[in-house]
């Protein structure tokens, strides 16, 4: 579900968040319009508003764990965790976490990848949030949900800053609700219409 | 959301790492000099190597009969440090034999200790006119943004090659075997800005030096480097040269 249709209709912060995201065409390969959230992180007010929207939504939901997907989930997850009084759990690519881990495979366009979580990071019955910067196919988030459910945690919701329109009205991922702030931006003629983003746009 | 005592949590999650290591391998909290008033900021820290982990935070099953003094608030020691130190887990022989890996993920599971960690950095930097917090991939991404948000600065990720989209500048740095590269976005920072560089740990200082160079190349003043943990035997502090380094705990 999109924030605009769920309690934040007309909220000016959402427009600012959308405009703070930079689109980089053909990255990492031809045809992909990459939604670059690093420009959002450069705008303190917009970054703070992004975190505040998530904190306001989740602070009274009895969530004790925020799991963030490497690496851009690490940029949003810890601040949200601190804001709602939850612990932060990094979900990482293989062989990054030391000590005992559990792994979950997921499918890419070509091939597979793997997400890992520490054994003992979360207890059975804990309520968890999964955070990433963007959801497209939902493959990564689905793997994250499976990791948490395998150890008995309850995934309350997945939350992303950006979500493709296809997730609108979706039943969710693995039946879990999905909360998204904005849709991907499009660019016209290679330039952003946003005046607040200081970084130069890629020229087509 | 109430957690069990720290000892119970740590022992149930990660027996026996925190309790069975010889004392020489455990983290020693570095005593912080409380910085008051802000105008007398100084990067020099007292170097104490006394163990100060309170007996109550050690597992009774350790079988270690060394008497540990109860922690008292000594001059210059922030009482939050001991809890932060004991929340960090040491994993032997990771990523390869002989390396005692300092795992901060257990710190992130302790809501109070994680909050205290951020607070200690925020208290130090909030009135220093810092407009940029640069965090080194990937664990610098965990500590950097909350600090940036609290002090009113932007967050700039310093990344491994080919991760940042768009135009970047790169800095090569040496590893034990071979080299690696760090990248930063062109235009992320402006000349004259004041920056902090954040990572979870400083070892040899190679990564932090690369980050400093990237920022200085575009005219930014690096005010200080800040890490949760220092491994002093690897002499990272010396490698940073004139750049001040602030750490919360020292693994001596």
């Amino acid at each position: 579900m999109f924030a605009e249709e769920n309690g934040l209709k007309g909220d000016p912060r959402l427009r600012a968040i959308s405009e703070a995201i930079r689109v980089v065409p053909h990255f990492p390969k031809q045809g992909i319009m990459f939604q670059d959230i690093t420009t959002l992180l450069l705008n303190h007010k917009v970054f703070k508003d992004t975190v505040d929207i998530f904190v306001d939504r989740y602070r009274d939901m009895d969530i004790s764990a925020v799991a963030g997907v490497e690496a851009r989930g690490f940029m949003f997850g810890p601040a949200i965790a601190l804001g709602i009084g939850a612990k932060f759990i990094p979900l990482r690519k293989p062989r990054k976490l030391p000590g005992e881990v559990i792994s979950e495979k997921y499918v890419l366009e070509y091939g597979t990848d793997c997400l890992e979580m520490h054994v003992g990071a979360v207890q059975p019955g804990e309520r968890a949030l999964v955070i990433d910067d963007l959801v497209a196919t939902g493959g990564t988030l689905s793997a994250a949900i499976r990791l948490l459910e395998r150890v008995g945690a309850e995934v309350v919701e997945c939350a992303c800053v950006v979500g493709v329109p296809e997730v609108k009205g979706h039943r969710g991922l693995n039946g879990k609700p999905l909360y998204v702030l904005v849709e991907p931006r499009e660019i016209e003629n290679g330039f952003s219409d946003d005046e607040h983003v200081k970084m130069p746009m890629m020229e087509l | 959301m109430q957690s069990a005592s720290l000892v119970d949590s740590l022992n149930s999650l990660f027996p026996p790492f925190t309790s069975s290591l010889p004392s020489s391998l455990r983290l020693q909290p570095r005593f912080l000099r409380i910085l008051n008033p802000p105008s007398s900021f100084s990067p020099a820290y007292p170097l104490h190597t006394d163990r100060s982990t309170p007996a109550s935070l050690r597992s009774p099953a350790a079988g270690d009969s060394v008497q540990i003094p109860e922690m008292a608030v000594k001059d210059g020691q922030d009482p939050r440090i001991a809890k932060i130190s004991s929340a960090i887990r040491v994993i032997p022989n990771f990523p390869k034999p002989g390396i005692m890996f300092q795992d901060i993920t257990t710190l992130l599971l302790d809501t109070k200790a994680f909050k205290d960690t951020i607070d200690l950095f925020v208290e130090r930097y909030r009135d220093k006119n810092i407009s940029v917090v640069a965090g080194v991939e990937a664990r610098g991404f965990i500590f950097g943004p909350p600090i940036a948000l609290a002090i009113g600065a932007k967050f700039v990720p310093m990344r491994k090659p080919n991760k940042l989209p768009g135009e970047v500048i790169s800095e090569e740095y040496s590893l034990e075997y071979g080299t690696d590269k760090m990248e930063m976005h062109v235009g992320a920072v402006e000349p004259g800005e004041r920056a902090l560089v954040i990572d979870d740990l400083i070892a040899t200082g190679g990564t932090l030096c690369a980050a400093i160079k990237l920022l200085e190349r575009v005219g930014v003043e690096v005010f200080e480097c800040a890490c949760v943990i220092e491994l002093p035997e690897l002499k990272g502090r010396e490698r940073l040269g004139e750049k001040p380094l602030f750490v919360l705990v020292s693994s001596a």
Side-chain angles (χ1 to χ4, degrees):
Chain A
M1 63 188 105
F2 279 76
E4 186 112 41
E5 291 133 20
N6 284 276
L8 292 183
K9 189 172 173 61
D11 190 318
R13 295 175 298 177
L14 292 179
R15 181 174 156 82
I17 288 167
S18 177
E19 291 176 355
I21 295 168
R22 171 173 79 144
V23 182
V24 180
H26 311 301
F27 182 91
K29 54 185 197 191
Q30 278 305 107
I32 296 187
M33 306 303 276
F34 189 87
Q35 306 291 313
D36 180 16
I37 50 87
T38 66
T39 43
L40 185 155
L41 308 176
L42 298 181
N43 184 327
H44 176 262
K45 180 175 189 324
V46 174
F47 186 18
K48 185 174 184 308
D49 285 344
T50 304
V51 172
D52 285 349
I53 290 173
F54 289 124
V55 169
D56 288 342
R57 179 176 177 79
Y58 296 117
R59 69 157 39 97
D60 297 320
M61 287 199 191
D62 240 329
I63 288 166
S64 58
V66 174
V69 180
E70 167 164 21
R72 289 181 287 267
F74 292 5
M75 299 178 195
F76 298 94
I80 297 167
L82 287 162
I84 67 174
K87 54 185 157 181
F88 179 72
I89 299 170
L91 303 182
R92 300 210 66 175
K93 296 285 160 79
R95 293 173 296 281
K96 300 294 186 75
L97 290 170
E100 208 187 341
V101 297
I102 56 170
S103 297
E104 189 68 37
K105 266 204 193 124
Y106 61 101
V107 175
L108 300 170
E109 192 181 4
Y110 300 106
T112 61
D113 205 340
C114 208
L115 207 56
E116 294 187 341
M117 179 174 78
H118 266 139
V119 168
V122 63
Q123 306 297 315
E126 287 204 74
R127 285 162 61 82
L129 196 55
V130 181
I131 302 279
D132 205 354
D133 65 322
L134 180 144
V135 54
T137 64
T140 320
L141 289 178
S142 295
I145 294 168
R146 288 195 297 275
L147 277 172
L148 289 158
E149 291 188 330
R150 272 167 63 185
V151 295
E154 178 197 342
V155 176
V156 175
E157 195 157 85
C158 295
C160 299
V161 179
V162 188
V164 297
E166 286 71 24
V167 304
K168 201 185 275 205
H170 210 261
R171 276 187 52 95
L173 298 165
N174 300 11
K176 295 298 169 187
L178 176 61
Y179 184 75
V180 169
L181 298 189
V182 297
E183 292 188 28
R185 286 189 76 193
E186 291 167 12
I187 53 174
E188 295 164 23
N189 305 317
F191 293 98
S192 165
D193 58 357
D194 170 45
E195 289 151 346
H196 302 295
V197 176
K198 289 183 179 157
M199 294 172 66
M201 289 301 298
M202 296 289 296
E203 290 197 19
L204 287 176
Chain B
M1 260 185 276
Q2 278 298 90
S3 54
S5 74
L6 181 60
V7 170
D8 293 340
S9 302
L10 283 175
N11 283 336
S12 65
L13 292 178
F14 310 114
F17 293 116
T18 53
S19 56
S20 63
L21 290 176
S23 60
S24 58
L25 294 175
R26 284 188 233 195
L27 284 173
Q28 314 283 353
R30 162 153 296 173
F31 295 131
L32 288 186
R33 184 174 296 289
I34 306 294
L35 298 176
N36 265 309
S39 58
S40 66
F41 171 77
S42 161
Y45 312 108
L47 288 173
H48 296 276
T49 54
D50 302 336
R51 296 194 61 226
S52 73
T53 307
S56 60
L57 291 181
R58 298 184 65 227
S59 164
D64 189 335
S65 60
V66 172
Q67 293 298 318
I68 310 294
E70 284 296 320
M71 187 179 70
V73 179
K74 301 182 188 177
D75 184 36
Q77 179 198 357
D78 191 297
R80 292 171 286 184
I81 294 291
K83 189 168 154 65
I84 290 168
S85 174
S86 56
I88 296 164
R89 165 172 84 144
V90 180
I91 305 276
N93 303 313
F94 182 91
K96 55 184 196 190
I99 296 188
M100 306 301 284
F101 189 89
Q102 310 290 327
D103 181 16
I104 50 88
T105 66
T106 43
L107 170 66
L108 309 176
L109 299 180
D110 181 333
T111 52
K112 174 148 195 340
F114 184 23
K115 182 181 183 306
D116 286 346
T117 302
I118 300 298
D119 286 348
L120 282 161
F121 290 122
V122 170
E123 287 161 18
R124 182 178 180 83
Y125 297 118
R126 68 164 24 115
D127 297 314
K128 302 293 190 291
N129 257 106
I130 288 162
S131 59
V132 178
V133 173
V136 178
E137 170 159 19
R139 289 181 286 266
F141 294 177
I142 296 174
F143 296 97
I147 297 168
L149 286 165
I151 68 174
K154 56 179 135 175
F155 178 72
V156 176
M158 313 293 264
R159 297 211 67 174
K160 296 280 160 86
N162 310 311
K163 301 290 184 78
L164 290 170
E167 208 187 344
V168 297
I169 55 170
S170 299
E171 185 73 29
E172 217 171 67
Y173 60 102
S174 31
L175 302 169
E176 191 179 8
Y177 299 106
T179 61
D180 204 343
K181 250 206 269 195
M182 182 181 294
E183 295 185 340
M184 180 176 77
H185 266 139
V186 167
V189 293
E190 321 234 322
E193 291 203 79
R194 268 151 72 96
L196 280 187
V197 182
I198 304 276
D199 206 353
D200 65 322
L201 178 146
I202 176 171
T204 61
T207 320
L208 288 177
C209 279
I212 293 167
K213 288 205 186 100
L214 278 171
L215 291 159
E216 289 185 336
R217 272 166 60 184
V218 295
V220 165
E221 175 202 340
V222 175
F223 181 76
E224 192 159 84
C225 293
C227 302
V228 180
I229 304 160
E230 177 184 12
L231 304 180
E233 285 173 5
L234 297 178
K235 305 199 186 307
R237 192 176 285 268
E238 283 94 290
R239 182 135 172 215
L240 294 185
E242 291 170 356
K243 282 301 163 200
L245 170 69
F246 175 74
V247 302
L248 301 186
V249 300
S250 180
S251 178

